[in-house]
Amino acid sequence: MTGPSSPTATPVGELIVDWYASAARDLPWRTPEVAPWAVLVSEVMLQQTPVARVEPVWRVWTARWPTPADLAAEPAAEVIRAWGKLGYPRRALRLREAAIAITERHGGVVPSDVAELEALPGVGTYTARAVACFGYGRRQPVVDTNVRRVVARLVHGRAEAGNARAADLADIAALAPEDDERAVRFSVAVMELGALVCVAGTPRCGACPVRDRCAWRLAGAPPHDGPPRRVQKFAGTDRQVRGRLLDVLRAAREPVDAAALEPAWDDAVQRSRCLYSLLTDGLVEQTEDGLFTLPG
DNA sequence: TAGTCGTGGAG
DNA sequence: TCTCCAAGACT
């Protein structure tokens, strides 16, 4: 008997790695000579941010700050400006803080150890393993939103992934090829499968290398049963107001007074609350004479 | 653990 | 137009 779960069948991990060889996108941070530092920069930029928007900014950053020490020496204001409109600008601040930590505590060399990576500002479970795996070629389970969705369907037969769980790492590790080099390739390949084929909307199962082994399809592609995940509002939220305020300050070459920030948002209460939160986050600084500016 | 933190393209 | 959502981290 040679069913889908037959021991003689090619493991799904191997199928996914083979698929990746022909389907992978040609992304600049995937070229072999890219330094772990540049990989770290790419991973932080890619947090919650589409590839197309990251690519041009990443090219500028890696050319301008080719090592952690280069970024560490830069004033925060320049880093925030260079972040442009990638969104979640606290990431820029944390990346600079990580560069400083790498310079001071690791002799300017990005650590390859997952625990040491996770100790860096802005580097969590995902990013630490991504750097160890893609930057240093270490065998590491790497779980992002794409991987969780692939595993939810392929392994658990569910239409959508739930929240991140500790078991996610073991789930994907169980599918990885035995060979270390292929396991590294597998980590990026599963992400790519989730990004290109096993997508959040309507999955392109016709293009999937493991469609015949997918628990979700074998179960008849049942719809999502759990609670609908709520999508974040944006219009009118503090996030929008903070973005507007920062937009004004990025454009200004000199510190500005409070009046200069009024056009950013009408509601004075919300405007000042958001300005205060930006000060708290260290994204904005107040000068001695009470003017506002990006932090030096 | 659920809420917060930007931005803009796609369907 | 409006909803969804894109390689998370942090609190």
Side-chain angles (χ1 to χ4, degrees):
Chain A
M1 106 162 217
T2 55
S5 301
S6 160
T8 59
T10 307
V12 293
E14 305 288 354
L15 293 173
I16 292 171
V17 172
D18 289 342
W19 167 84
Y20 181 79
S22 62
R25 290 169 292 180
D26 186 20
L27 301 176
W29 43 82
R30 285 179 180 166
T31 55
E33 61 271 23
V34 166
W37 165 243
V39 172
L40 173 57
V41 171
S42 79
E43 293 300 341
V44 172
M45 288 183 171
L46 285 163
Q47 293 168 3
Q48 302 286 284
T49 309
V51 164
R53 218 177 311 162
V54 166
E55 193 168 333
V57 182
W58 180 86
R59 290 185 188 281
V60 170
W61 273 55
T62 52
R64 182 171 176 184
W65 301 302
T67 73
D70 295 321
L71 184 63
E74 199 73 33
E78 275 311 299
V79 176
I80 294 168
R81 281 203 176 88
W83 193 255
K85 306 204 75 171
L86 280 183
Y88 294 140
R90 291 185 298 187
R91 289 183 294 169
L93 234 37
R94 290 180 183 140
L95 194 44
R96 177 172 171 275
E97 288 160 10
I100 292 170
I102 291 166
T103 304
E104 293 178 349
R105 304 204 304 258
H106 300 284
V109 179
V110 175
S112 59
D113 177 76
V114 168
E116 291 180 342
L117 284 162
E118 279 185 319
L120 298 172
V123 177
T125 305
Y126 163 77
T127 304
R129 286 164 180 77
V131 170
C133 189
F134 310 145
Y136 283 104
R138 301 292 174 87
R139 180 189 186 102
Q140 281 290 332
V142 178
V143 176
D144 73 332
T145 184
N146 291 305
V147 174
R148 293 209 325 279
R149 188 172 53 248
V150 170
V151 171
R153 289 171 179 160
L154 179 63
V155 178
H156 300 300
R158 292 188 279 102
E160 294 180 24
N163 292 321
R165 304 170 300 123
D168 292 338
L169 288 172
D171 279 354
I172 199 63
L175 298 183
E178 290 178 18
D179 178 75
D180 284 350
E181 208 166 305
R182 283 179 70 83
V184 169
R185 191 62 62 97
F186 173 74
S187 286
V188 67
V190 180
M191 290 175 60
E192 193 76 339
L193 186 65
L196 299 181
V197 175
C198 197
V199 294
T202 307
R204 309 185 230 287
C205 297
C208 181
V210 290
R211 59 179 175 279
D212 296 332
R213 315 281 281 276
C214 177
W216 180 62
R217 297 200 79 212
L218 292 171
H224 177 59
D225 54 357
R229 77 160 200 161
R230 19 168 275 294
V231 56
Q232 294 186 81
K233 291 294 174 210
F234 178 65
T237 63
D238 285 2
R239 266 160 52 239
Q240 181 178 26
V241 179
R242 284 165 54 103
R244 293 272 193 88
L245 291 170
L246 214 53
D247 222 11
V248 172
L249 293 172
R250 263 195 305 259
R253 282 296 145 178
E254 300 290 333
V256 304
D257 59 16
L261 296 172
E262 287 176 11
W265 197 255
D266 285 338
D267 181 344
V269 172
Q270 189 178 17
R271 193 175 63 236
S272 92
R273 179 177 69 234
C274 290
L275 182 55
Y276 182 82
S277 76
L278 288 169
L279 287 163
T280 300
D281 287 347
L283 284 164
V284 175
E285 209 169 69
Q286 196 164 21
T287 65
E288 286 183 5
D289 36 354
L291 302 179
F292 300 98
T293 178
L294 295 183

